[in-house]
Amino acid sequence: MDLSIWKTARGATFSFSRSTRILAITDKAGGRDATRSLMTTFQRRIAEWWSQFLTRATLWTPQWFPKMTIFNSPQERAMAFPHMQQPSFLLASLKSDSINKPFAQRCQDLVKVIEDFPAKELHAIFPWLVESIFGTLDGILVGWNLRCLQGRVNPVEYSIAMEFLDPGGPMMKLVYKLQAEDYKFDFPVSYLPGPVKASIQERVLPDSPLYHNKVQFPPTGGLSLNLALNPFEYYMFFFALSLITQKPLPGALHIRTSDCAYFILVDRYLSWFLPTEGSVLPPLSSSPGGPSPSPAPRTPAMPFASYGLHHTSLLKRHISHQTSVNADPASHEIWRSETLLQVFVEMWLHHYSLEMYQKMQSPHAKESFTPTEEHVLVVRLLLKHLHAFSNSLKPEQVSPSAHSHATSPLEEFKRAAIPRFVQQKLYLFLQHCFGHWPLDASFRAVLEMWLSYLQPWRYAPEKQAQSSDGQARCVSERWAPFVQENLLLYTKLFVGFLSRALRTDLVSPKNALMVFRVAKVFAQPNLAEMIQKGEQLFLEPELVIPHRQHRLFTAPTFTGSFLSSWPPAVTDTSFKVKSHVYSLEGQDCKYTPMFGPEVRTLVLRLAQLITQAKQTAKSISDQCGESTAGRPFLSWLGFYSSDTNSSYPANDLDEMGQDSVRKTDEYLEKALEYLCQMFRLNEAQLTQLTLALGTTQDENGKKQLPDCIVGEDGLILTPLGRYQIINGLRKFDIEYQGDSELQPIRSYEIASLVRLLFRLSSTINHRFAGQMAALCSRADFLGSFCRYHLMEPGLTSRHLLSPVEQGRSVGRVRGPRLSLRFLGSYRTLLSLLLAFFVASLFCIGPLPCALLLVLGYFLYAMAMTLLTERGKLHQL
């Protein structure tokens, strides 16, 4: 129990809170005024004495206070002592309950607290409650761990948390309750995304209106900058940042993101605040029949400095008089929708500015932020919903003539949401992912996010007409403006994907699937023509391009509502495309046409590698079948040593078998067909280029060496040779070239026996080194016989060595020595046991059998010695 309550015989009431160490005394004779005066004058001394007494006491029991009354919930304690309602008391009580009570009981108490307490008391607990749910910004405390909470694993906790955090649930009621009183909460600037933090620290206001009129400068001598946020903004900041700041637990690696509470809450918030049907629901009243919360103060009409423009001092802007409320009441309808979208975009996408992106092109640049696969999946959910939200406009509202003052704020917001708030930050985010994501199958999440953004027609309410021959649906001309105004996201990112695909193993089914997905999307009928039309509009000569004119589309002046200054539609399509490109890449950008000769060359190289990968997959499948069929019987007992120097490197095909080969072949075949359709490649070109890469086998049926040139230090791989190695088309024969006695113990060897035989052979070699050297130096048959058994053959005479290994082999001259390691092999011992077993069948004892084996080996060794010496004479 955190709070102890008891009464004295005279009617005085004492209460003591262990967590806060607060003692309160109420005397009936003095009444309420006496209590207040006592608390202000005498209570401190009594509380100090009582705290010391309870701290030092080792044992005390309730029997001392027979009339003690116990309260179990924060509401009962607070209602019993209204004079004790200090802000810290309720907070301390809830903190104590968060440790001692189960999750379900804590949530029930929180619901009652939110319903019963006024906003003045709830204001003190709100920051703590938000942190206890979403975790701290430094990631130390995980809170409720919503990213790992799943309904099928923890159904009770999941249902309680989802009900509590629902857009219409108790937590949002608390937010609206505080919103009505216009409370502000400090949020540290140091936890904002990198470009935003750097801009504010340089006293330059970021281009997003989300931060306007919110920066609070520290007092004299202070170092930290804060944002003054209203309750809704404060809640959404923590909710969005918890996706980034909270590190996943070790056991969360195998959790499906789409099943987690956080992912589902994002979907619910998007559906609630960005509705595809109807309007945004009004805020829930904090009490039945009570007034609705007042809307948040709107952004005042004031210019600001953005990236690429002159830097205006924030200090002057903060100190000067600023209007806090917009006079336009219609814009209040969607302020929560605007805030939600901007918070999500800023926290999830705005980690790279244009200047930072240009610096990241340097190979020596360090990554400032690395998104996770879960992060990318949540962003994809946002993009899909934004397409559905924007496409919910009626056809008559989409036309430029419909853009007038007669339209509602929600319709204006639907039209401007993607181009105004999302496009630039998403482009920089995708550029970073394409350039820095690992070359593995996890890139599939980034790929699908990109493809989802490129296909808004998939999320339109009307369905596209299916073609009569059952082929892919034709992209309607209605989407031509979207393709043209997002030209770089189609063309430049496609080139970025080509460079990634040329460096991946296309034999892997997962990589082949990614190539197939991209080729299928871009091969949709009429899409390539739209992209070509957009490129033609951009490349059209223009006499005068006003300096920074594209800023009209990306950074309008914000007067009042975020959308009230959205510029009227520009009828010059060419100017719109140019503005889009210059706003994302800068005025001095060098554009590479997607259907130009440079990109066509890359597509031809990809087509070559696809053809080669198909042949390689078939070869791997054939080799796996042959090795399985020809494997000896002893391999099933674990005595067969796998060939570590096989012709092909290991990949997904080794684990998935023939079904994987079939899928890979299907993906690559369709991808090649789509690429030929997009770029008008013919079969003759593909056949000629495939033959030029030299994928045919030599007369021995073995793969040739990778393509190399001879340099001063030996063989040097050409770019073609690197592609051949990456795709498993060719490889060098790699064998162990160190001391054979010191190579790692293999799976077909007995470890303890190998170590014992090594010590024995080392002792013999050390003791008889001189005698063995003398025998091997003889020029007769005995010397040849000893050299055959005691000398290792020269490595340089058997294999090609790298320049580094050639230098090492010059000084590596080993003398004659005896090796007994072969006796530690399972195969050798099993062969000896089989030989003795067969001899026993013919009534031959162990000793005669051993003599016969020794005699047989000597005859074999003599024959091999003669053949070896004859071979050396032929080489001379």
Side-chain angles (χ1 to χ4, degrees), residues 651-717:
N651 52 40
D652 297 342
L653 295 177
D654 300 333
E655 302 176 359
M656 303 176 65
Q658 296 296 325
D659 185 58
S660 177
V661 176
R662 180 183 56 80
K663 289 183 179 179
T664 301
D665 187 71
E666 290 178 0
Y667 293 148
L668 295 178
E669 180 69 28
K670 295 298 293 184
L672 189 59
E673 177 183 338
Y674 290 139
L675 289 176
C676 293
Q677 176 183 336
M678 287 172 54
F679 293 91
R680 298 176 176 86
L681 306 179
N682 52 54
E683 293 295 333
Q685 289 177 306
L686 295 179
T687 304
Q688 182 180 1
L689 293 171
T690 302
L691 293 177
L693 285 175
T695 58
T696 56
Q697 297 180 343
D698 59 8
E699 58 273 11
N700 295 326
K702 296 181 179 179
K703 285 291 181 181
Q704 302 173 359
L705 293 178
D707 190 71
C708 304
I709 58 175
V710 180
E712 296 180 358
D713 298 326
L715 299 179
I716 301 176
L717 275 175

Side-chain angles (χ1 to χ4, degrees), residues 323-593:
T323 308
S324 59
V325 180
N326 193 322
D328 181 11
S331 62
H332 295 160
E333 175 187 340
I334 58 167
W335 72 266
R336 291 172 299 150
S337 303
E338 296 174 345
T339 301
L340 176 86
L341 176 59
Q342 290 189 94
V343 170
F344 284 178
V345 171
E346 289 292 315
M347 301 303 123
W348 295 343
L349 295 179
H350 196 187
H351 295 275
Y352 317 100
S353 63
L354 180 59
E355 291 79 2
M356 184 182 300
Y357 162 68
Q358 292 172 348
K359 293 178 182 179
M360 290 300 294
Q361 304 307 305
S362 171
H364 304 289
K366 296 182 180 179
E367 294 186 45
S368 58
F369 174 78
T370 304
T372 61
E373 189 173 351
E374 179 187 9
H375 181 181
V376 172
L377 292 175
V378 174
V379 173
R380 186 193 179 204
L381 174 65
L382 171 64
L383 297 178
K384 291 167 64 176
H385 187 85
L386 282 178
H387 277 317
F389 176 68
S390 300
N391 293 336
S392 61
L393 280 171
K394 298 178 181 179
E396 61 272 11
Q397 298 170 344
V398 179
S399 60
S401 60
H403 187 86
S404 63
H405 296 287
T407 58
S408 68
L410 181 61
E411 294 169 356
E412 289 284 329
F413 184 52
K414 289 181 179 181
R415 183 180 296 106
I418 292 179
R420 171 63 188 90
F421 299 111
V422 179
Q423 186 190 73
Q424 183 180 32
K425 297 178 177 64
L426 176 65
Y427 175 71
L428 297 177
F429 183 83
L430 285 171
Q431 278 279 34
H432 182 274
C433 291
F434 274 60
H436 296 81
W437 200 277
L439 292 172
D440 56 20
S442 64
F443 185 72
R444 174 77 185 280
V446 179
L447 188 79
E448 294 299 335
M449 176 183 66
W450 173 48
L451 297 180
S452 295
Y453 181 79
L454 299 185
Q455 303 178 86
W457 46 86
R458 291 184 55 190
Y459 312 100
E462 70 277 2
K463 299 299 180 180
Q464 300 182 66
Q466 184 78 19
S467 58
S468 58
D469 56 355
Q471 298 298 321
R473 297 170 178 173
C474 180
V475 180
S476 172
E477 283 294 331
R478 168 194 169 186
W479 305 105
F482 179 87
V483 174
Q484 295 165 3
E485 294 171 11
N486 292 271
L487 185 63
L488 286 180
L489 285 100
Y490 286 91
T491 59
K492 189 164 185 179
L493 292 182
F494 180 81
V495 176
F497 174 77
L498 286 180
S499 63
R500 287 186 61 93
L502 292 173
R503 291 177 290 156
T504 55
D505 179 16
L506 298 184
V507 180
S508 168
K510 296 177 181 178
N511 293 334
L513 175 60
M514 287 191 283
V515 176
F516 163 74
R517 289 282 297 123
V518 174
K520 180 181 180 181
V521 168
F522 277 84
Q524 295 179 80
N526 202 33
L527 179 58
E529 289 76 7
M530 290 182 182
I531 297 174
Q532 283 183 301
K533 177 62 175 177
E535 290 188 329
Q536 292 172 3
L537 291 172
F538 174 74
L539 297 175
E540 282 183 0
E542 188 172 15
L543 297 178
V544 179
I545 300 178
H547 180 64
R548 294 292 182 187
Q549 186 67 28
H550 60 275
R551 290 289 178 179
L552 293 176
F553 298 93
T554 59
T557 304
F558 294 95
T559 57
S561 174
F562 299 156
L563 301 172
S564 59
S565 63
W566 186 253
V570 180
T571 57
D572 186 356
T573 309
S574 176
F575 179 72
K576 293 173 64 176
V577 176
K578 287 179 169 61
S579 300
H580 156 72
V581 175
Y582 293 145
S583 65
L584 298 185
E585 288 288 334
Q587 289 281 3
D588 54 349
C589 70
K590 296 181 179 179
Y591 183 76
T592 303

Side-chain angles (χ1 to χ4, degrees), residues 734-772:
I734 301 175
E735 293 185 5
Y736 181 79
Q737 298 180 353
D739 190 349
S740 59
E741 290 294 296
L742 299 179
Q743 60 181 320
I745 298 175
R746 306 300 176 88
S747 59
Y748 54 84
E749 293 178 324
I750 304 174
S752 58
L753 184 57
V754 169
R755 296 189 181 97
L756 180 61
L757 292 172
F758 175 74
R759 296 192 187 97
L760 178 60
S761 59
S762 298
T763 302
I764 295 174
N765 293 332
H766 179 72
R767 179 169 297 183
F768 301 102
Q771 290 85 339
M772 289 189 293

Side-chain angles (χ1 to χ4, degrees), residues 73-75 97 101 105-113:
S73 66
Q75 298 87 337
D97 291 346
K101 288 186 178 181
Q105 184 61 39
R106 296 202 312 265
C107 290
Q108 292 179 4
D109 291 345
L110 286 173
V111 172
K112 294 179 182 178
V113 167

